[in-house]
Amino acid sequence: MNAPLPPNEAARLATLRSYDVLDTPAEAAFDELALLVAQICQVPMAQVSLVDEFRQWFKARIGLRNSETSRDIAFCAHTILRPSEVLQVPDALADPRFADSPLVTSDPHIRFYAGAPLVAPDGQALGALCVMDRVPRTLTGEQLSALQALSRRVVAELELRRQTQALAGEIAERQRIEAQLRARCEELATSESTASRLLAVAEKSRRALLGILEDEKRAARRIFEQAQLLDLTRDSISVRDLDDRFRYLNEGSVRLYGWTEAEVIGRTV
């Protein structure tokens, strides 16, 4: 018989997914708890079962070959309906909920089942720590107490696993940020070095330009001084280029020919 869905199924599945544990490899901590509960309860089969939308998946299992079964036939689908209670089925063949289940009528031929819900801190039942046998039986009070205590230990391991993953994620994020900061610092150092080189080149260029300007000023002063000397002489002095065009007339030429400098400069004889 299919178990009904818990009234808080959406919230329960969200909590289960938050542990990010489904379909992960076997881990010693969970295997050891499954083995311990099997030994305490003196049964050949035990499992840490987590129930999602369509299946029960075993994080740890003792005496079972399959790593999961359909939720439709899962004993644990009934266990999660009452998070505060251990579900004990003394004889599955005598229980109408399980008598026709292939888990009962065929391998692994379950006749006895007892499951303690795995209850997360927010009250959601994730699955069960359960023990099974191929013959009808019941657990003693001490065994039931041990089953419940170990189910709480399974949840503690799940919490520890989740916190470890979260811490690893934080460390990885910090390392990523640190790597980005180092890369940025290296870029800034490179930029600063490049800027320093460019400033040095710019300073050299500025000094060279100032030197050229200073040379031009000195040359202009010399030309001006020479022109003044040429203007002071009474001789006629003119300068012509290769095309025989006048480029300069001194005052003596102006007085001699009666031309103004503006009338002559740029013209040929």
Side-chain angles (χ1 to χ4, degrees):
M1 180 185 299
N2 293 346
L5 294 178
N8 56 350
E9 179 67 356
R12 190 192 71 81
L13 290 173
T15 299
L16 175 61
R17 294 190 192 99
S18 72
Y19 285 91
D20 195 23
V21 66
L22 294 174
D23 299 309
T24 57
E27 297 177 47
F30 298 98
D31 291 341
E32 291 170 358
L33 288 171
L35 179 60
L36 179 60
V37 75
Q39 292 173 342
I40 292 174
C41 296
Q42 299 178 340
V43 294
M45 296 175 285
Q47 62 192 25
V48 175
S49 173
L50 299 168
V51 181
D52 68 8
E53 294 96 325
F54 308 109
R55 60 178 177 158
Q56 64 170 353
W57 176 79
F58 307 142
K59 179 60 180 173
R61 63 187 188 275
I62 301 296
L64 296 165
R65 289 195 299 269
N66 296 330
S67 61
E68 63 181 63
T69 71
S70 168
R71 179 172 176 170
D72 295 341
I73 61 173
F75 284 77
C76 295
H78 294 265
T79 305
I80 62 174
L81 296 175
R82 296 183 178 180
S84 61
E85 301 177 12
V86 172
L87 173 62
Q88 186 167 200
V89 181
D91 186 355
L93 281 177
D95 192 316
R97 294 173 297 177
F98 309 110
D100 296 331
S101 170
L103 298 176
V104 177
T105 59
S106 59
D107 189 66
H109 297 285
I110 297 172
R111 292 290 299 275
F112 164 75
Y113 170 93
L118 302 176
V119 183
D122 64 357
Q124 303 297 340
L126 310 178
L129 174 65
C130 48
V131 292
M132 294 152 289
D133 205 340
R134 295 182 176 87
V135 295
R137 55 169 299 174
T138 58
L139 296 181
T140 66
E142 291 80 4
Q143 289 172 332
L144 284 171
S145 296
L147 180 61
Q148 289 178 304
L150 290 175
S151 72
R152 291 190 292 270
R153 183 59 192 169
V154 170
V155 174
E157 288 293 338
L158 288 172
E159 278 293 313
L160 179 61
R161 185 181 185 280
R162 178 164 66 175
Q163 292 169 8
T164 300
Q165 288 180 327
L167 180 59
E170 291 177 5
I171 292 173
E173 178 64 13
R174 289 180 182 178
Q175 290 174 340
R176 185 187 67 81
I177 293 174
E178 289 175 0
Q180 288 182 336
L181 290 175
R182 283 195 298 270
R184 183 57 179 161
C185 288
E186 291 174 359
E187 290 176 2
L188 291 175
T190 302
S191 298
E192 184 178 355
S193 176
T194 302
S196 298
R197 288 197 300 270
L198 291 175
L199 287 174
V201 171
E203 179 61 19
K204 290 180 180 179
S205 300
R206 185 185 69 84
R207 292 178 181 177
L209 179 59
L210 290 176
I212 293 171
L213 292 175
E214 190 62 31
D215 290 341
E216 289 180 348
K217 288 180 181 178
R218 286 195 293 268
R221 282 197 299 270
R222 286 196 299 269
I223 292 171
F224 178 74
E225 291 169 355
Q226 292 170 357
Q228 284 183 321
L229 291 174
L230 292 175
D231 285 340
L232 291 175
T233 182
R234 298 185 63 81
D235 295 329
S236 173
I237 300 174
S238 64
V239 178
R240 286 178 288 178
D241 59 21
L242 295 176
D243 295 326
D244 208 29
R245 295 180 184 277
F246 284 100
R247 293 305 177 189
Y248 172 75
L249 289 175
N250 72 341
E251 290 296 329
S253 296
V254 171
R255 287 192 300 270
L256 177 64
Y257 299 110
W259 302 327
T260 65
E261 187 175 5
E263 291 173 328
V264 176
I265 296 301
R267 295 184 179 185
T268 63
V269 174

